[in-house]
Amino acid sequence: MLRQILRRKAEEVSERAARRSLRELSAQVADLPPPRGFRAALAETIAAGQAAVIAELKRASPSRGVLRQHYDPPAIAQAYERAGASCLSVLTDSDYFGGHERDLEAARAAVSLPVLRKDFIVDTYQVYETRALGADCLLLIVAALGDAQLAELHALAAELGLDVLIEVHDATELERVQALGPGLVGINNRDLRTFVTDLGTTERLAPDVPQGALTVCESGIQQPHDIARMRAAGVHAFLVGEAFMTVDDPGERLAALF
């Protein structure tokens, strides 16, 4: 599935670059105000003794299909903000997650929270594009990138003022990010090959996250005892999507869960 997504993403980048050049994008980025501090917002919540929630907006997923028929990004974003989310994550991949760039723009305009662009970033064009969209953070998936590519994209994002959430799934991937000095490391508990979710993944990997990086638990949070288990392991930031997207009131679910 990942290989299929990445092949399509490379085609998509070429199509986008043909419509709007990298020169145009970089000129647009130069005039933008500074991003909202994504990592800083999480750190502030954790320093106050609370769990920091990155509340996700996504219409669908490859493993579960359509999650939400009535998908209103501004309304969902506002519900998350009222319920105490520290940050937002917005899926912008269209082919596999039913997302769009306008979802991110609309959600961010409706709130004061920092926003992560959740997509498959494989090219420097997308880093400039992410900044131009107004996002404050981007996702880099280690399983999707070679070492040189990962380092290049990470450095460019930092140069543009973006925070970076680097996502790992196992010890080998975590070892690959050590030299980057990451500010945010997301541990995804969902196995990319089987889609099976195991919170033990975060428990096993968290002790080896580079010093100075803030650890984010991704996938598998469904009940308050899941949160208590992760916090007992020293992890206090959580990216949660499907648990919110599959209920009538995502903000109410966030408040109840956390």
Side-chain angles (χ1 to χ4, degrees):
M1 174 65 75
L2 181 61
R3 287 194 295 269
Q4 178 181 329
I5 291 172
L6 295 178
R7 282 195 298 270
R8 172 61 193 134
K9 194 58 60 173
E11 295 171 355
E12 183 184 310
V13 171
S14 296
E15 293 163 3
R16 290 172 180 270
R19 293 194 298 267
R20 182 165 56 156
S21 71
L22 182 58
R23 177 174 293 184
E24 290 177 276
L25 269 183
S26 59
Q28 181 181 348
V29 163
D31 297 328
L32 292 176
R36 301 168 184 170
F38 191 93
R39 186 188 186 282
L42 298 177
E44 182 179 351
T45 303
I46 293 168
Q50 300 171 341
V53 184
I54 305 168
E56 189 156 273
L57 293 83
K58 65 178 176 181
R59 187 191 305 271
S61 77
S63 59
R64 295 191 59 183
V66 175
L67 300 170
R68 193 170 193 83
Q69 293 290 349
H70 178 60
Y71 186 64
D72 184 343
I76 296 169
Q78 290 170 348
Y80 282 154
E81 184 172 47
R82 288 193 299 270
S86 297
C87 299
L88 301 181
S89 168
V90 182
L91 265 294
T92 59
D93 176 77
S94 175
D95 293 332
Y96 298 92
F97 289 86
H100 198 279
E101 290 78 16
R102 62 175 172 264
D103 297 339
L104 187 151
E105 293 172 318
R108 190 178 186 274
V111 297
S112 61
L113 302 178
V115 180
L116 165 72
R117 182 190 185 187
K118 190 90 171 285
D119 210 316
F120 297 86
I121 306 296
V122 295
D123 192 279
T124 54
Y125 183 91
Q126 292 169 287
V127 180
Y128 282 100
E129 182 181 57
T130 298
R131 182 73 175 95
L133 286 171
D136 309 286
C137 183
L138 61 73
L139 178 73
L140 294 180
I141 303 172
V142 174
L145 301 165
D147 288 343
Q149 196 179 19
L150 181 63
E152 179 185 24
L153 296 172
H154 184 265
L156 176 58
E159 181 183 325
L160 297 180
L162 293 166
D163 285 314
V164 180
L165 177 61
I166 301 182
E167 180 177 291
V168 302
H169 298 81
D170 57 37
T172 301
E173 292 177 8
L174 183 57
E175 178 63 30
R176 290 177 55 202
V177 310
Q178 299 285 338
L180 296 175
L184 289 165
V185 173
I187 300 175
N188 196 329
N189 298 301
R190 179 173 288 120
D191 189 300
L192 280 178
R193 294 169 294 279
T194 64
F195 291 129
V196 172
T197 300
D198 175 17
L199 290 176
T201 303
T202 291
E203 291 171 319
R204 290 188 295 273
L205 297 185
D208 296 320
V209 168
Q211 188 172 6
L214 193 157
T215 304
V216 178
C217 173
E218 303 179 25
S219 302
I221 298 297
Q222 296 289 340
Q223 301 296 334
H225 63 76
D226 297 328
I227 300 160
R229 176 181 169 184
M230 293 298 96
R231 297 195 74 181
V235 178
H236 304 289
F238 302 86
L239 193 157
V240 183
E242 291 188 9
F244 300 152
M245 287 290 93
T246 54
V247 298
D248 290 339
D249 188 333
E252 185 178 83
R253 176 65 172 144
L254 189 159
L257 186 58
F258 284 90

